[in-house]
Amino acid sequence: MNKYEALVRLEEIMNELDDLGSEARGLFATAFPQLLNEADAYGVFALGSSGNRYDTTLASMIRAAEHETDDECLEEEEA
């Protein structure tokens, strides 16, 4: 698997995590509504990401990999 294919798969994984987080939120809303506000307040359903820009998450590492790949492409074009 090359870097581009890996990035595509990583984006797919992030989409799957978003879907799973939404599903988990729905389950809490239905079965444990008294815990939903606390879970929302702490962002527990944002799997792979964070509201804190200083946290290292899967989403931030994917962005870093995209930038690294973009930089490599620019270097190849300049050579």
Side-chain angles (χ1 to χ4, degrees), residues 3-49:
K3 289 182 179 186
Y4 299 105
E5 292 168 334
L7 284 171
V8 168
R9 180 62 187 131
L10 288 165
E11 288 295 336
E12 290 171 352
I13 290 169
M14 280 303 302
N15 290 335
E16 291 171 25
L17 288 173
D18 287 342
D19 292 343
L20 289 170
S22 294
E23 182 180 351
R25 188 185 186 288
L27 292 168
F28 266 87
T30 301
F32 309 102
Q34 71 281 7
L35 297 174
L36 185 60
N37 285 339
E38 180 180 0
D40 277 339
Y42 285 103
V44 299
F45 305 116
L47 308 177
S49 62

Side-chain angles (χ1 to χ4, degrees), residues 25-73:
R25 188 185 186 288
L27 292 168
F28 266 87
T30 301
F32 309 102
Q34 71 281 7
L35 297 174
L36 185 60
N37 285 339
E38 180 180 0
D40 277 339
Y42 285 103
V44 299
F45 305 116
L47 308 177
S49 62
S50 173
N52 182 343
R53 66 182 178 156
Y54 299 107
D55 285 346
T56 300
T57 63
L58 181 58
S60 67
M61 294 307 298
I62 291 171
R63 283 193 303 275
E66 289 170 340
H67 290 295
E68 179 182 302
T69 303
D70 290 343
D71 290 345
E72 287 177 5
C73 288

